[in-house]
Amino acid sequence: MESIQAIKGMNDILPDQIHWWQRVENTARSILENFGYREIRTPVLEKTELFSRSIGENTDIVEKEMYTFADRKGEWLTLRPEATASIVRAFIQHNLQADPLARKFYSTGPMFRYERPQKGRYRQFHQLDAEVFGVEDPMLDAELMYMLRVFLEQLGLSGVVLHINSLGCPACRAPYRSLLQTFLLQNRATFCSDCQRRLHVNPLRVFDCKVERCQKIIENAPMLLDSICEDCRDHFAAVRSYLDRLQTDYEINPRMVRGLDYYTRTTFEIITDRLGAQNAVGGGGRYDGLMRDLGGPDLSGIGFAIGMERLILLLQQQRSEPQRSPLVFLAILGDQAKQEGFLITQQLRSHGIEAEMDYARHSLKSQMRRADKLAAHYVVILGDEEMAAGAAQLRDMQSKQQSSIPLDGLVPLLKEIIRNGDATAAKN
Ligand code: ATP
Ligand code: MG
């Protein structure tokens, strides 16, 4: 019988990969919590309207990338393509405005977009998401980007650049829209069919087009950054000065518009040149009108989303292999040793040391092979002979040194050895 495969573009994350994920998630958690963010988890399924209203009807996401279906009662539902809209919805629904401590949120989890699967682009992918509500001060914009830098630095990621831009506010965007439209219409015939439509319904989206000939034309387009109003200009200048004070490098990219309509003022992306066409590791920005547009209080918002798969691909390319905590393997020979080894294994684990033992009475040679495969740092060799002598053999798998270690107090002693990182302590 033919076996059933996973859906194209939706990946299993297998145990041999999971340590990358856990490392990124744990690092994110500790840094974000330090910056005052609290975790929120929202459903993966929402009413379609939530996304069409927030992301914008004429965006790629809403037009062609959403997994949308009618449920058994005919209600239109969508698998979330991003997290911001859901978090804003939850904030409004639970009246979190009343809680002065609930301002900064983060979340991680799967997102769904119907795209052509390729390296760094999947149909189910994962994002780390952070959102802050109700702070208009440009200090926060800078703090958010600084936090992102701290996070990526902590992971040891290199070769990424922070691009920033300002998309102004609705007031300064309206006159710019017609200015841009006039320019685009002059070049109408040259654009791809999508852009020919975009230039009527949502001209700013042309900047986000990935077709090369469209990119070429807009190189000469008038720039939104040149026509933002004074307030927006001041805000952007302040963001830049705070970034400078935080020694956070950035490049101004006036052509960056981001793929969602709700953005205002500061937008940013983390760009890499190491993942081919998938050059954005993450991005975000302000969305000062979104809360109100979704029926909530008139609170400003700012946030970002990092693509976990792309981040992990980059870390793997760099081979910044995460440090695993040392593993102790118990090689067991004989029945009495097995009884003792079983207890020691559980005790090691309960003391926070990763431990594994052989339950199947394999030969010492084959047990040592398994220890090698598991990349064990230490092997405790325990046979009936050692039992009689009251001391096991401890082998440091890196230095290949072997020494004897008393069975009495073995667990605390082994803990000490692991902390000091060498087996010589066992001799004393
Ligand atoms: P792109 O321009 O590459 O399509 P995007 O602008 O659509 O990216 P965002 O909506 O800003 O992406 O999402 C934030 C991050 O989520 C991206 O920078 C990327 O790292 C990740 N991401 C987006 N779409 C996908 C996908 N289909 N597969 C994997 N990661 C993705
Ligand atoms: Mg996209």
Side-chain angles (χ1 to χ4, degrees):
M1 217 190 306
E2 206 180 316
S3 63
I4 299 168
Q5 307 285 304
I7 297 167
K8 193 174 153 202
M10 303 205 175
N11 302 312
D12 298 308
I13 302 165
L14 300 177
D16 72 335
Q17 291 293 309
I18 206 73
H19 60 282
W20 292 98
W21 289 80
Q22 291 171 341
R23 176 179 169 225
V24 169
E25 286 162 4
N26 293 342
T27 306
R29 210 172 278 286
S30 81
I31 289 175
L32 280 136
E33 298 261 349
N34 266 351
F35 277 81
Y37 291 73
R38 296 295 173 258
E39 188 174 5
I40 184 167
R41 302 185 191 186
T42 62
V44 292
L45 204 55
E46 298 269 3
K47 292 181 181 167
T48 302
E49 191 194 354
L50 175 66
F51 302 114
S52 49
R53 243 165 80 186
S54 58
I55 299 170
E57 293 281 1
N58 301 300
T59 57
D60 277 0
I61 296 180
V62 172
E63 275 180 346
K64 36 186 175 183
E65 296 175 0
M66 292 203 311
Y67 277 93
T68 295
F69 58 92
D71 73 4
R72 289 172 193 277
K73 289 251 166 72
E75 183 166 22
W76 285 102
L77 304 176
T78 295
L79 280 166
R80 64 178 180 193
E82 60 112 34
T84 306
S86 308
I87 296 174
V88 172
R89 180 208 40 75
F91 185 89
I92 299 169
Q93 183 175 334
H94 302 286
N95 190 28
L96 295 184
Q97 190 192 5
D99 177 359
L101 295 178
R103 288 294 174 266
K104 293 172 154 181
F105 302 90
Y106 74 94
S107 201
T108 60
M111 307 295 153
F112 304 85
R113 296 185 193 177
Y114 195 81
E115 299 198 74
R116 194 168 67 78
Q118 54 199 289
K119 186 178 176 192
R121 193 175 292 284
Y122 312 101
R123 289 179 174 175
Q124 174 176 304
F125 61 99
H126 297 75
Q127 285 184 341
L128 162 68
D129 205 81
E131 314 288 346
V132 185
F133 303 128
V135 185
E136 272 161 61
D137 196 313
M139 242 179 205
L140 187 75
D141 306 40
E143 183 191 284
L144 193 73
M145 290 182 260
Y146 173 71
M147 178 175 77
L148 205 47
R149 194 196 83 180
V150 170
F151 168 58
L152 298 177
E153 262 176 18
Q154 184 112 348
L155 288 172
L157 186 74
S158 57
V160 290
V161 184
L162 172 66
H163 283 190
I164 67 170
N165 191 19
S166 174
L167 294 183
C169 57
C172 45
R173 228 185 298 179
Y176 170 75
R177 191 179 186 274
S178 27
L179 192 72
L180 176 66
Q181 205 160 36
T182 311
F183 169 86
L184 297 174
L185 281 167
Q186 286 162 2
N187 298 280
R188 184 158 183 252
T190 330
F191 284 112
C192 74
S193 56
D194 274 345
C195 283
Q196 300 212 4
R197 201 171 35 80
R198 287 181 184 126
L199 66 86
H200 291 292
V201 293
N202 196 347
L204 247 86
R205 292 266 67 84
V206 174
F207 281 99
D208 217 26
C209 182
K210 295 195 165 68
V211 177
E212 207 170 311
R213 63 174 200 281
C214 302
Q215 284 296 326
K216 266 231 121 53
I217 310 169
I218 54 170
E219 270 174 25
N220 300 310
M223 239 94 76
L224 176 52
L225 196 54
D226 295 329
S227 38
I228 58 175
C229 64
E230 211 176 309
D231 281 353
C232 289
R233 204 177 296 276
D234 289 347
H235 190 272
F236 193 50
V239 172
R240 280 165 17 218
S241 78
Y242 291 129
L243 282 175
D244 292 338
R245 288 181 68 176
L246 293 168
Q247 299 184 323
T248 299
D249 294 335
Y250 59 84
E251 281 175 25
I252 296 175
N253 178 358
R255 287 186 186 78
M256 180 181 72
V257 295
R258 313 275 302 117
L260 305 90
D261 277 353
Y262 54 58
Y263 285 114
T264 54
R265 293 194 164 172
T266 317
T267 51
F268 52 93
E269 278 183 353
I270 303 282
I271 299 294
T272 172
D273 56 7
R274 299 176 187 173
L275 285 178
Q278 279 56 253
N279 68 350
V281 184
R286 271 196 175 274
Y287 43 87
D288 290 342
L290 181 62
M291 183 87 72
R292 193 196 48 225
D293 290 350
L294 287 176
D298 192 4
L299 285 182
S300 65
I302 183 168
F304 67 71
I306 297 279
M308 301 277 274
E309 281 82 358
R310 290 187 196 174
L311 177 56
I312 289 169
L313 275 170
L314 285 172
L315 291 171
Q316 288 173 335
Q317 275 180 21
Q318 270 178 235
R319 287 183 219 289
S320 49
E321 191 70 44
Q323 285 275 321
R324 281 191 55 212
S325 61
L327 168 72
V328 178
F329 185 86
L330 275 90
I332 306 289
L333 295 163
D335 287 339
Q336 211 196 338
K338 190 174 174 188
Q339 297 297 325
E340 180 72 16
F342 177 63
L343 290 181
I344 294 173
T345 304
Q346 312 315 328
Q347 281 165 7
L348 284 168
R349 289 170 176 166
S350 75
H351 279 79
I353 296 167
E354 194 181 339
E356 198 47 77
M357 73 175 269
D358 183 78
Y359 297 94
R361 301 166 198 272
H362 288 112
S363 70
L364 182 60
K365 204 170 151 193
S366 103
Q367 292 190 52
M368 292 309 283
R369 246 198 326 266
R370 175 141 174 256
D372 231 13
K373 270 213 183 106
L374 290 170
H377 282 58
Y378 297 101
V379 176
V380 173
I381 302 165
L382 191 58
D384 290 342
E385 210 173 295
E386 281 79 17
M387 287 296 296
Q393 291 293 312
L394 179 68
R395 187 172 171 83
D396 181 327
M397 296 296 276
Q398 268 144 15
S399 68
K400 311 281 181 219
Q401 298 271 342
Q402 205 159 302
S403 50
S404 126
I405 179 168
L407 287 178
D408 191 22
L410 180 137
V411 172
L413 189 53
L414 200 49
K415 244 180 120 166
E416 185 68 25
I417 291 168
I418 288 170
R419 195 165 40 237
N420 296 331
D422 80 88
T424 49
K427 286 186 192 128
N428 308 323

